[in-house]
Structures are given as structure tokens and as C-alpha cells.
Amino acid sequence: MNTIVLKAAAAIAKIKERERAEESLIGFAEYVWPVVEPAIPFIKGWAIEAIADHLQAVTFGHIKRLLINVPPGFTKSLMTDVFWPAWEWGPRNMPSMRYVCASYSNHLTERDNMRCRNIVISDRYQKLWGNRFKVSNEQFTKIKFANDKTGWKLATSVSGIGVGERGDRFIIDDANNTMEMESEQVRHTTNMWFTEVVPDRLNNPQKSAIVIIQQRLHEDDVSGVALSRDMGYTHLMIPMRHDLTRHCVTVLGMEEIVNEETGEVEEREKLWEDPRTEEGELAWPERFTEEVCINMERDKGPYAWSGQYQQFPVPRGGAIIKEDYWQLWNRDVLPNFEFIVASLDPAFTEKDENDPSAMTVWGIWRDEDEQLVEPTPDPLGRHKLFLKNMEMVANPKIMLLYAWDERLQFTDLLQKVLDTCIPGSGRASFPVDKLLIEAKGSGQSVGQELYRLIRGTGKFGVDLIDPKKYGDKWTRVNSIEHLFRDGMIYAPDRSWADKVIRQCAIFPKGSHDDLVDTTSQALRWMRDMGFALRKQEYEMESKQEMSYDNRNLSNPLYPV
């Protein structure tokens, strides 16, 4: 009797084990883990479960373009290039699926092909799903192995895939090589492969899927291209330490729920959200403890840690204006601005390969409780604040009010500028006092036409700025870096502000710097005109002027 009970219990346990592995990719990964890593225990964590959940959404047809950015060591290759294909073939009974798996080097995808093949032919796998397909003896290499249901898995590289095989899944695992990311030519070649070759390698453009998984290495890596071009990728981004400003939420598909009031079944988006709520929380503390992360951050250095572990690629030689130099404006009400400046870097074109036009809008103010009189121009044309009480002077503060960058034709660009600079003209418009235009290339014609359109209206002034007056781009940004470091520059918590902050943080190694140009142009002009002088500078200049004005000039210097 006991033997019968034990056999029945074993059979039930086997059925439950099989059901869990078939219903859940993470359950399957845990089941076959001893096949690929017999000496290393399987460590659970919400981060690898998130990777599995998003791959499942691809399997169920809810996601067709998936981008995953996670730190090294998060079993990304095993989950994506090893467990997932084996799970679809057997547990999900989809043995006809075909996989093209590419990396920057053949040896990585060939390694994972052998791992996947070892799982499929293992006893653990065969005893549960061996009746669903047979591995082909004719196509059984580390480069490509197949089954008797027309499915196969091909290992290739960025330079290896040509015009032959098409897959139902195109898996791109680390398309960029860490050691070659500083090469612009290598990045260009890789990105051309990603945008011009990969889309044609799908069996069914409407149903086949592309999955990218990598650690961030550069603003212009494959992930950066997919994001900057808005190519429709669901983006799962898991930094090692939680960053509240980049809290990740994705849509895994649609789910049916019962409306409690009406009793009707309704569809709603099924959301995934990073479960962390505190700044700096670790993604996988069960595996990467606080001590481990501190040591890695020290050993890797700030640039490698920021890109590979935080998924925020700040390049070597960048970060003149660091992200944390910006002050966050988190109040609902804006201050009373003394002067508002708009800064434009024009480039009228709609071609994607050309730089966009860019504009930033800035407002200057001081603490409302300070005793100041209205700004009055000095003899040199600079606006200086002549003080009622010199001890009550506050340092000036400058806020980024708005920003945009778009590829626009000439007439559309003019209208966009007018809509931004004249209150009530557009959705985001401001009472701009001065419009600065970079006087290079198309800047002259844009400035002349804007001047013609607003001449005599009193709307705002237009100044053409010669960028060479202050040196090259690097010199111009360095000349205003201290304004950020001194805590004078503010920005609200808005997506357009994040774009400016990010572009400044990765300058001068970013792929675009148009918003950076408008920033340095505006702040340098405000400083030269006396708007952005600190308290000590005001006091010094005021004392010098008082000393000059109090001189006794009643007697001539020389006898006449």
C-alpha cells in the first residue's frame, strides 16, 4: 500500500513540475538549471523573473519588439538565448520556431547554441517533452542544430549574417563589444547592420519578433539607436541601483478583468513595474550584495559603472556638466522671472540622418524676499541690478522652462519658433524677451526672416550669435560649467528637461549636441550681459562703479 501511495505522490509531483515548467519560463529555467550549471545553485530574484515575463509576452504574441537592458551577471544570455528557445520548442509545443541568434562574436552565440542543444537532449528534458519533436542528426552542429518539425537555431554574429536565413525570432545578445565601443566606425557598421539587415531577416514581418538584450555601453550603441529612433521597442530597463527618475514601467499585453460594478468583462493593459520604491535599492541583492556592488563600482570606475550597471551610458571624457549639477524645481508655481531668453540652433531639414533644429527657453529670477529694484542697463548695454541694500542681494537663479528638438522644414521651423516665443501662440509658449540664434549655416536666413515677421510688433528681440566668438563647443560649455556647479541652474521634472540634462551629461561624446549648443549659447549670453553674475561679482562691480563715480573730476588733469 505504501508503495502505491509513494508512486502516486511521485506521479503527482512530476505532473506539477511539468505544469509549472510549461506555464512559466522562470519555472522551466529553474527546472533545467542543473543541466547547464550543475555546480552553481539557482538564485531567484525579481529581476530575472522580469526578463522571463517579458520573453513570455513575446511568446504569447503581445510584444514583437523587445529591448532589455540589465547589468552583467543577470543570466541574460542563458534566459534569452538558451532557456527561452528550448522552452518554446518543448514545454510550449512550438517546435517549428526558428531562431537567428547574433552577437558581436560567433563564439558567444555558438557557446549558447551548445548549451541550448544540451538541454534539449538531456534526460530531464526528454522525459517530459521528448515525444513532441526529435533532434535532427543531419543538422547537429554548434553553429546550427534543427529538429524534425522544421525548427532550427542558428548562431551567427554581427558581421556573419548575410542574405540567407530568416527566423521567427531574431535574438541580438550583446551586439556591441565593450573593447570597441570608442570606435565610431565600428559603431556605425554595427548600427547599419541592425537597421538595414536585421529587419529583413524575419519570416513574418507581422508576427516574427526581434529581441535585443545588452548592457548599455554608449549612447550610440544598438539600444541607443532603437530608443532614439522610436522603433517601437518595449523597453525593460533594470539598473543595479534604483533610479527614481528612470523608474521602469512596461506593458506586457492585455488582460481581462471583471468590472465589479457592472459585472462585465473588460480589457485593460497588463503592466509590469519595477518593484523598488527607494532610491539606490539593489536589483538582485540575493546575488549582488551591497558590499559586492560597492567594490564593483570602485573597481569599474564611474563611466563603466554608469553604463554597464546603471544603464546610463556616460562616455569617457564626457560629463563636463554632470547630471547632479542640476537643481530640481519641484514646486507647482513658477517664480516671477525678470527676463526670459530663448536660444535656437536651426537646421531646417526633415532627413533623419541630419541634425535637428533645437531650442531651449530660460528664465532668470531671484528670491522674492530680496530688496531689489528693476534692472537698468548700464552704459555698456548690460542689465545690472542696482541695489537698495547691497547686503540683501541674492544670487541669480536660472531655470530651463522648455526645450524641443525636431527636424523641420524652413516654414515649419519659423512657425515653431513663433509658437514658442509668443504667449498664447502654442501649447507651450512663453513671453520671451530675447531670442538668440546661432549665426551659422541656416541661422542667418532664419534670423532675417524672423526679424521681418516680428519687426515693429514689440514681441521680442532677435540677436544673431557668432559661436566662434567663444571658441569651440568644448570651450563654450566649459565657460558656463561653473554656473551648474554653483547650483544656479534649475529644471523641472519633465521628459523634455531630462533630454537636455542627459545630452549635457554625455557631452562631448554624445551623438547629438544641439540642445547643448543652445544651452551654452543662452547661459554665456546671460552671463556676458550681467544677468548671471553671482552676489560677490555684483558687489565687486558695484564697488568699482561707486569708486569710479566718486572721483573728483572738477579739476583738469593737465593745465590748459
Side-chain angles (χ1 to χ4, degrees), residues 55 58 63-68 80 84 100 167-172 193-195 197-202 204-205 207-213 222 226 231-234:
L55 292 172
V58 177
I63 297 176
K64 295 181 175 63
R65 297 291 183 273
L66 177 61
L67 169 61
I68 303 174
T80 308
W84 184 43
V100 178
D168 302 297
R169 310 278 190 248
F170 201 115
I171 300 172
I172 304 173
W193 167 84
F194 169 58
T195 57
V197 175
V198 171
D200 296 330
R201 299 296 92 214
L202 301 178
N204 188 329
K207 296 183 178 181
S208 300
I210 300 174
V211 175
I212 306 168
I213 187 163
V222 164
M231 297 172 70
Y233 280 82
T234 296

Side-chain angles (χ1 to χ4, degrees), residues 202-328:
L202 301 178
N203 269 339
N204 188 329
Q206 294 181 351
K207 296 183 178 181
S208 300
I210 300 174
V211 175
I212 306 168
I213 187 163
Q214 71 173 145
Q215 53 189 289
R216 292 303 306 274
L217 299 174
H218 191 279
E219 187 207 15
D220 202 28
D221 58 17
V222 164
S223 294
V225 172
L227 294 172
S228 64
R229 295 194 183 186
D230 294 326
M231 297 172 70
Y233 280 82
T234 296
H235 186 205
L236 173 62
M237 187 275 298
I238 303 178
M240 180 66 83
R241 295 189 183 277
H242 189 219
D243 183 349
L244 287 172
T245 64
R246 297 184 296 134
H247 185 75
C248 184
V249 179
T250 65
V251 178
L252 292 176
M254 304 299 294
E255 61 182 354
E256 293 184 347
I257 61 168
V258 178
N259 189 310
E260 295 182 358
E261 296 181 359
T262 64
E264 297 180 353
V265 177
E266 300 177 353
E267 273 196 341
R268 70 175 183 184
E269 290 182 336
K270 182 180 180 181
L271 299 179
W272 177 90
E273 183 174 6
D274 191 316
R276 295 173 289 182
T277 58
E278 299 295 329
E279 183 77 17
E281 278 189 77
L282 296 178
W284 199 359
E286 299 87 353
R287 176 169 165 80
F288 296 95
T289 65
E290 178 67 25
E291 182 181 0
V292 169
C293 290
I294 290 174
N295 291 336
M296 282 198 300
E297 188 171 1
R298 178 200 62 209
D299 296 342
K300 300 286 288 187
Y303 298 115
W305 175 263
S306 179
Q308 296 175 28
Y309 287 84
Q310 289 302 103
Q311 315 314 315
F312 186 77
V314 178
R316 304 174 197 278
I320 296 173
I321 300 175
K322 300 183 185 300
E323 186 180 5
D324 57 6
Y325 283 176
W326 294 76
Q327 308 301 307
L328 175 64

Side-chain angles (χ1 to χ4, degrees), residues 16-74:
K16 289 184 176 180
E17 187 175 49
R18 175 173 180 163
E19 288 178 347
R20 181 170 182 266
E22 290 182 347
E23 293 173 358
S24 162
L25 175 55
I26 193 69
F28 172 77
E30 186 173 3
Y31 174 72
V32 298
W33 181 266
V35 177
V36 292
E37 295 291 356
I40 301 175
F42 180 80
I43 301 177
K44 294 182 179 180
W46 65 261
I48 60 170
E49 290 180 8
I51 297 173
D53 289 345
H54 284 76
L55 292 172
Q56 283 183 195
V58 177
T59 297
F60 300 149
H62 302 314
I63 297 176
K64 295 181 175 63
R65 297 291 183 273
L66 177 61
L67 169 61
I68 303 174
N69 294 136
V70 294
F74 274 49

Side-chain angles (χ1 to χ4, degrees), residues 465-472 476 524-525 528:
I465 306 296
D466 180 8
K468 296 180 180 179
K469 176 182 178 182
Y470 303 114
D472 58 20
R476 297 198 296 270
R524 181 58 191 255
W525 183 88
D528 287 352

Side-chain angles (χ1 to χ4, degrees), residues 369-424:
D369 58 351
E370 301 297 350
Q371 298 181 19
L372 304 174
V373 298
E374 291 297 318
T376 306
D378 68 5
L380 298 178
R382 300 185 305 173
H383 287 72
K384 293 188 57 181
L385 293 175
F386 293 93
L387 315 174
K388 290 180 179 177
N389 184 344
M390 191 175 299
E391 297 303 320
M392 293 295 291
V393 183
N395 283 325
K397 298 170 183 174
I398 301 170
M399 185 183 298
L400 175 63
L401 296 177
Y402 193 57
W404 54 261
D405 59 338
E406 295 183 30
R407 294 177 174 85
L408 301 167
Q409 293 289 354
F410 185 71
T411 54
D412 295 331
L413 173 60
L414 294 176
Q415 190 59 53
K416 181 78 173 180
V417 172
L418 292 173
D419 289 345
T420 305
C421 296
I422 301 176

Side-chain angles (χ1 to χ4, degrees), residues 30 34 98 110-111 142 200 227 252 287 315 342 353 355 389 403 418 422 458 473 508 516 545:
E30 186 173 3
R98 300 175 178 181
E110 290 173 4
R111 174 204 65 190
K142 63 181 181 180
D200 296 330
L227 294 172
L252 292 176
R287 176 169 165 80
E353 63 269 21
D355 289 332
N389 184 344
L418 292 173
I422 301 176
K473 292 175 182 281
V516 180
E545 288 182 1

Side-chain angles (χ1 to χ4, degrees), residues 113-129:
N113 243 24
M114 289 188 289
R115 285 171 160 179
C116 185
R117 188 183 66 183
N118 290 342
I119 288 175
V120 169
I121 64 176
S122 69
D123 291 338
R124 291 179 69 84
Y125 191 93
Q126 287 293 313
K127 71 179 182 181
L128 296 182
W129 305 290

